[in-house]
Amino acid sequence: MAGKMSSEKDDLVFLANVMRERRRRQLSMHVMLQNLVARRRRVLNVAVLMLLLISQLNNITVPGPIRSCRRLKRNAGWWDKVCDTYSDARFKKTFRVSRSTFNYILNRIEPFIIKQTITEDPIPADLRLAICLYRLGRGDYLYTISEMSGLGVSTVSLIVREVCQVLVDHLWNETVSNHMPKTREDFKRKILDMEEFWQFPCCWAAIDDCHIPMKCPPGGLEACKEYHNFKNFYSIVLMAMVDSHYRFVWGSCGFPGNSHDAVIFQSTDLWSRIQNGFIPSIGKADGDINIPPLMVGDSAFPLRTWLMKPFTNSVLTAQQRYFNYRLSRARMVSEGAYGQLKGRWRVLLRKSESSRDVVRLITLACMVLHNICIMQGDSISKKLDLSSDGNGQKRNREDIRKLLQMRGCSSIRDTSFEANKVRDALCKKLWCEKETGEVC
């Protein structure tokens, strides 16, 4: 009995020793793990300190995170693809100008359209010009261009306005105003060119106008009535003068679409300048009548000694009909210029969702670009020229004016006695040339 109790006591002692040894080993393992973590932490701290020390010794700054107000990443692949992969023909088809013309425009306006930003990568000047030309040439919606270029709709709209403003501010005088004759020699040169190309004597320019479609402007019923034209849409009027080479030499844009041609022209600064002696006293003498340098227009313009218009009698003589034919042929240069303008820059052909001031600015910028293309010899495709059909043949005149949304205001009475004398002298001169086959 005593031996059995002694055996049980020994077992209990053995178990107690095993449990004690187990707790001691667990404690030892825990201490070892703590020491290992602390050692690795010290090594990591030392490594970080060494890296900071090396970066300071080598004057190396650690770049911080790029701050940006952009929610989504900008997509720059479209313009890179255009520059790298587009052929010259596809580039011109996309932007309506050749690469050389694009580079010429970019070199002229690049200092004025570059942006310097701090919290965002600036949009390159060539991309800004490309977006503007794409909008003007193809007339696509701002949202479509936004999705294509990876920019916001408001950003695209702002780019178009800013680039157009730069084109008008810095290139209008050089590309448009400089072609307006100022001296006697300039007028003589314009008259010779017009007579050579369009066979109308003493004429130096043709004047005409067209509608630029737009949305209904704010202003209630008064604005609706004022801007709603007789073709049954809202518009502003572009009135311009064209020389023998289809170049615009003067332009005015912004009058409401319901205004009469005579009222618009008499409200411009050019009318005041002509009244004050802008046109020099040169011309051809036909008997006792002196024919001054002339502009040609339609029957809606007032007849003046310096502005010829067709006869509007209910019954015309053969001489008057022939005069109207020759004057109409001379006026075709303006229709051709408008056909190239609206054919190349299709934003002018469709209703714009922009405001009146932006539509006016875009129209003037398109005139600048039109003259630049002529200066650079950048011809327009026959498929784009709206004055020609798909086969390269000239359209019917009525079809051209309807397609280009040209204006056809009612004629006004011819009240100038001196102007009637000049027109009658021209009528006799042209009829004499037809009968004799010689220049009279």
Side-chain angles (χ1 to χ4, degrees):
M1 187 71 176
K4 186 177 181 180
M5 292 179 62
S6 176
S7 176
E8 290 178 354
K9 185 178 180 181
D10 291 339
D11 291 337
L12 291 174
V13 172
F14 177 78
L15 290 175
N17 292 335
V18 170
M19 295 293 293
R20 192 181 305 112
E21 184 66 18
R22 184 177 180 182
R23 285 196 299 271
R24 186 184 66 80
R25 288 182 179 180
Q26 288 179 350
L27 182 61
S28 178
M29 291 292 294
H30 183 67
V31 172
M32 289 177 62
L33 288 175
Q34 286 184 340
N35 293 335
L36 182 61
V37 171
R39 188 183 304 167
R40 291 186 176 179
R41 191 172 297 164
R42 287 194 298 270
V43 171
L44 183 60
N45 292 337
V46 171
V48 171
L49 290 175
M50 291 295 293
L51 289 176
L52 292 175
L53 181 61
I54 293 173
S55 64
Q56 291 179 358
L57 291 176
N58 295 333
N59 198 18
I60 299 176
T61 57
V62 179
I66 299 176
R67 299 185 60 186
S68 173
C69 57
R70 181 173 300 281
R71 259 190 326 170
L72 303 175
K73 185 178 180 181
R74 179 184 295 167
N75 175 26
W78 171 73
W79 179 238
D80 294 338
K81 181 180 179 181
V82 170
C83 294
D84 297 336
T85 63
Y86 275 27
S87 63
D88 292 342
R90 188 178 181 185
F91 186 92
K92 184 173 182 177
K93 185 177 180 180
T94 303
F95 299 105
R96 300 294 193 255
V97 296
S98 62
R99 288 185 186 270
S100 59
T101 304
F102 181 91
N103 293 329
Y104 171 80
I105 299 172
L106 180 62
N107 292 334
R108 297 303 308 277
I109 67 174
E110 184 175 9
F112 308 105
I113 61 176
I114 288 180
K115 295 294 183 179
Q116 300 294 337
T117 58
I118 298 176
T119 60
E120 190 64 79
D121 292 333
I123 302 174
D126 53 354
L127 176 56
R128 296 170 68 86
L129 177 60
I131 289 174
C132 180
L133 294 181
Y134 192 92
R135 162 70 171 169
L136 301 184
R138 306 185 72 89
D140 285 357
Y141 289 105
L142 297 174
Y143 181 82
T144 304
I145 303 175
S146 170
E147 290 292 314
M148 177 186 65
S149 61
L151 303 174
V153 177
S154 59
T155 304
V156 172
S157 176
L158 181 62
I159 287 174
V160 173
R161 290 202 307 270
E162 290 179 346
V163 175
C164 288
Q165 189 69 58
V166 170
L167 287 171
V168 175
D169 291 345
H170 296 277
L171 297 182
W172 177 268
N173 290 335
E174 177 184 346
T175 59
V176 179
S177 298
N178 280 355
H179 295 293
M180 172 71 80
K182 300 176 179 62
T183 63
R184 298 168 68 93
E185 289 72 20
D186 293 340
F187 276 94
K188 291 179 180 179
R189 193 179 305 111
K190 292 286 185 183
I191 290 173
L192 289 176
D193 290 343
M194 200 72 178
E195 191 164 358
E196 178 183 357
F197 290 110
W198 300 98
Q199 293 81 47
F200 196 87
C202 302
C203 176
W204 62 276
I207 185 170
D208 212 334
D209 51 5
C210 70
H211 292 287
I212 306 296
M214 59 177 291
K215 66 180 182 181
C216 180
L221 294 177
E222 195 67 28
C224 293
K225 180 180 178 181
E226 192 173 7
Y227 286 88
H228 194 266
N229 58 53
F230 69 96
K231 292 181 180 290
N232 202 27
F233 61 89
Y234 298 99
S235 67
I236 57 176
V237 178
L238 168 62
M239 180 175 289
M241 293 174 57
V242 182
D243 66 5
S244 58
H245 300 284
Y246 298 99
R247 291 178 304 204
F248 292 104
V249 300
W250 173 85
S252 174
C253 183
F255 281 88
N258 200 25
S259 305
H260 196 276
D261 291 351
V263 175
I264 295 175
F265 190 34
Q266 292 174 354
S267 302
T268 60
D269 60 338
L270 180 62
W271 177 274
S272 302
R273 290 163 58 193
I274 294 176
Q275 295 294 99
N276 295 329
F278 170 72
I279 299 178
S281 56
I282 59 175
K284 292 182 179 180
D286 187 5
D288 58 345
I289 303 296
N290 182 54
I291 303 176
L294 302 173
M295 299 161 47
V296 292
D298 60 19
S299 58
F301 289 95
L303 180 66
R304 293 292 184 269
T305 57
W306 45 268
L307 176 57
M308 286 293 104
K309 55 182 285 188
F311 289 98
T312 56
N313 307 340
S314 57
V315 179
L316 299 176
T317 65
Q319 294 181 0
Q320 291 174 340
R321 284 197 299 270
Y322 184 70
F323 174 85
N324 286 358
Y325 161 72
R326 292 287 293 270
L327 185 139
S328 175
R329 189 172 66 177
R331 286 179 49 234
M332 288 179 64
V333 65
S334 62
E335 296 169 357
Y338 280 113
Q340 294 183 19
L341 177 72
K342 286 195 169 185
R344 191 190 292 260
W345 311 111
R346 293 300 176 100
V347 70
L348 304 179
L349 201 59
R350 56 175 295 272
K351 184 177 74 173
S352 176
E353 67 273 16
S354 303
S355 64
R356 170 189 171 275
D357 293 336
V358 176
V359 174
R360 175 183 178 275
L361 179 64
I362 287 176
T363 305
L364 297 178
C366 289
M367 294 175 64
V368 171
L369 293 171
H370 169 86
N371 279 12
I372 289 177
C373 291
I374 294 178
M375 290 167 51
Q376 296 295 311
D378 194 352
S379 61
I380 183 175
S381 169
K382 292 183 179 180
K383 294 182 178 180
L384 293 179
D385 190 353
L386 295 180
S387 61
S388 304
D389 58 17
N391 299 323
Q393 302 295 326
K394 277 290 182 182
R395 297 181 190 268
N396 180 273
R397 187 161 199 178
E398 294 300 323
D399 295 338
I400 293 176
R401 298 190 68 84
K402 182 178 180 180
L403 182 62
L404 297 178
Q405 300 160 340
M406 306 288 285
R407 290 164 56 81
C409 296
S410 58
S411 60
I412 59 176
R413 293 183 59 186
D414 306 331
T415 57
S416 174
F417 177 72
E418 292 296 328
N420 273 298
K421 290 173 61 177
V422 172
R423 185 169 64 176
D424 291 340
L426 271 174
C427 182
K428 293 178 181 178
K429 174 181 172 62
L430 294 176
W431 184 257
C432 177
E433 292 178 358
K434 180 188 178 186
E435 291 294 318
T436 62
E438 299 177 356
V439 177
C440 299

